[in-house]
Amino acid sequence: MRFKPKLIPTLVMIPCLVILLLLGSWQIERLSLKNDIKSKIEHKIDQENIPLPFKINLDQIEDLEYRKILVTGKY
């Protein structure tokens, strides 16, 4: 028995293969972005606690993201 590829299934498989390769490379790029975000969050979490500022400058809001804030008060 000899293998003879048919035209229609071959023409359908070529675009499917290209789409699957593109999706795989997209997933690898996404993994890299997620690892960068994860390392940024872990670095911010490991930093020392800071006291809660009463006035927050909107230019510094990204510096406060994922930071541990120290709050004191009465219950």
Side-chain angles (χ1 to χ4, degrees), residues 56-71:
I56 298 175
N57 188 356
L58 292 179
D59 296 334
Q60 298 173 341
I61 200 81
E62 286 186 16
D63 294 336
L64 297 175
E65 189 175 39
Y66 300 111
R67 290 288 307 265
K68 292 181 183 178
I69 306 287
L70 181 63
V71 179

Side-chain angles (χ1 to χ4, degrees), residues 5-64:
K6 303 211 186 241
L7 180 63
I8 302 274
T10 303
L11 292 177
V12 170
M13 285 306 293
I14 290 173
C16 290
L17 180 63
V18 170
I19 290 171
L20 288 174
L21 289 173
L22 290 173
L23 286 173
S25 66
W26 172 71
Q27 285 291 327
I28 291 172
E29 288 176 28
R30 188 167 176 235
L31 175 65
S32 174
L33 290 173
K34 288 179 94 172
N35 284 338
D36 291 342
I37 292 170
K38 184 179 175 185
S39 66
K40 175 185 168 187
I41 291 172
E42 287 175 353
H43 173 59
K44 295 264 187 157
I45 287 175
D46 290 340
Q47 290 181 347
E48 190 175 321
N49 295 351
I50 59 173
L52 179 67
F54 287 104
K55 291 183 180 179
I56 298 175
N57 188 356
L58 292 179
D59 296 334
Q60 298 173 341
I61 200 81
E62 286 186 16
D63 294 336
L64 297 175

